[in-house]
Amino acid sequence: MPTILINGTNLYYEIHGDAAATPLVFISGLGGHVAEIPHLIDAYAPHTRFITFDARGCGRSDRPPGDVSIAGFADDADALLEALGVDEAIVYGSSMGGMVAQELTLRHPRRVRALILGCTTASALRGEHPSPDTMQRMIRNQQLTGDEAIVAGWRLGYSDAYIAAHYDEMLARSRVASQYSAGADSYMRQIVASAKHDTLDRLHEIACPVMIIHGSDDLMIPIRNAHLLHERIPHAELHVLEGMAHGYNLEAQEQADALVLDFVRRHAAPDAPSDEANDSNEVSARAVR
């Protein structure tokens, strides 16, 4: 397993695709880890140098004691890219990962060539909150275990129709990924860190190109949060996926991937190989470099 010591903690990371292509860094959400995103690796590795990692406390990274912060996660991401020799990258942060991506861009602007913010918010306190019913469901879900917890989590992120049509494959993948789930202590520390996140008054400082993607029916981070980001970030573009919820990057994957890859093509480094060159020299999307 590839790990590297970053700010006193061993972080697990994976790199896929063409080493000469534009780096695309994916930062997962609350409790997220690499084992949850094989569909994104398969989609983006043929076109980018796709880099992703498990945050401290999650997945196959170390789980040190002590409080964490969104700014600290951003500093970890910057130090990881420095250690990997990545001077700048297109950064894609999802949910809590989008909070980290905002801080990474604000704290280390030279590292971020362009920014993609998926289903995220600029402020847990000043943005639009989940409904009381959704909050109660999220709290109740923390008391569940096993498959019951997995399925309850889906119902906050996907439509009933999508779950019914893909139940078996989703459950098989979730069971594999669940072996790397964050412990209760780490998960709660991330919740606290997310609750303190607030970049709303600093968003105007983001100078790089930005794309915001959000599902219109997101229960966990309601759509108004995407509009707040769009209003505050200069030159940001907003794409609302109608009928989609928090799990848009799986349920509406074809549409979301098309948006991401178009954005990557538009903002790639001038000397990066084209998709045509990548396709002729493609590396298996599942082979860790």
Side-chain angles (χ1 to χ4, degrees):
M1 293 193 304
T3 63
I4 191 167
L5 186 64
I6 300 296
N7 295 331
T9 298
N10 285 302
L11 298 187
Y12 175 85
Y13 69 95
E14 293 187 8
I15 306 177
H16 302 263
D18 186 346
T22 298
L24 174 63
V25 179
F26 184 79
I27 306 178
S28 294
L30 186 69
H33 50 82
V34 175
E36 293 180 327
I37 59 165
H39 59 297
L40 299 184
I41 295 172
D42 289 343
Y44 299 143
H47 309 281
T48 70
R49 184 186 184 201
F50 188 72
I51 302 168
T52 188
F53 61 97
D54 294 343
R56 60 177 63 226
C58 293
R60 284 164 276 189
S61 290
D62 287 351
R63 305 185 179 192
D67 294 339
V68 295
S69 68
I70 299 300
F73 287 135
D75 290 345
D76 282 350
D78 176 68
L80 174 64
L81 293 176
E82 179 71 20
L84 295 177
V86 178
D87 292 333
E88 65 172 11
I90 297 176
V91 175
Y92 181 1
S94 175
S95 194
M96 190 193 81
M99 303 177 196
V100 176
Q102 293 167 54
E103 282 288 1
L104 175 61
T105 307
L106 289 163
R107 294 169 69 84
H108 309 282
R110 69 176 184 83
R111 191 73 66 189
V112 183
R113 181 176 185 83
L115 177 64
I116 304 169
L117 298 174
C119 57
T120 193
T121 182
S123 176
L125 290 176
R126 295 192 286 163
E128 183 180 354
H129 301 161
S131 70
D133 176 67
T134 298
M135 292 294 295
Q136 287 299 317
R137 290 170 64 184
M138 293 168 68
I139 292 168
R140 287 196 301 269
N141 288 356
Q142 296 309 306
Q143 312 305 314
L144 304 177
T145 58
D147 290 353
E148 188 178 18
I150 290 171
V151 175
W154 294 346
R155 300 204 182 282
L156 289 171
Y158 306 99
S159 68
D160 289 342
Y162 184 82
I163 294 170
H166 300 86
Y167 186 91
D168 290 341
E169 64 192 78
M170 289 174 70
L171 187 59
R173 184 172 60 196
S174 294
R175 284 173 172 169
V176 171
S178 67
Q179 66 184 302
Y180 302 115
S181 296
D185 289 347
S186 293
Y187 193 81
M188 184 54 64
R189 285 194 285 268
Q190 288 195 9
I191 290 176
V192 172
S194 298
K196 296 177 180 179
H197 167 70
D198 194 323
T199 57
L200 200 58
D201 295 333
R202 293 180 287 146
L203 293 176
H204 67 278
E205 299 174 18
I206 295 177
C208 68
V210 179
M211 179 170 69
I212 303 160
I213 309 175
H214 214 105
S216 65
D217 297 349
D218 195 323
L219 298 176
M220 300 177 71
I221 300 182
I223 184 62
R224 175 57 184 153
N225 293 284
H227 290 292
L228 283 171
L229 287 165
H230 187 224
E231 291 164 7
R232 298 292 184 99
I233 301 175
H235 313 299
E237 57 187 80
L238 171 61
H239 299 272
V240 177
L241 304 184
E242 293 298 330
M244 292 297 106
H246 204 62
Y248 75 80
N249 68 26
L250 180 59
E251 184 165 358
Q253 184 178 359
E254 184 175 354
Q255 185 178 1
D257 288 350
L259 289 170
V260 169
L261 291 173
D262 175 67
F263 185 80
V264 169
R265 280 190 290 269
R266 286 188 282 129
H267 300 292
D271 58 348
S274 66
D275 269 353
E276 289 77 11
N278 288 345
D279 290 341
S280 66
N281 191 31
E282 185 174 323
V283 181
S284 168
R286 300 304 308 153
V288 180
R289 295 174 66 91

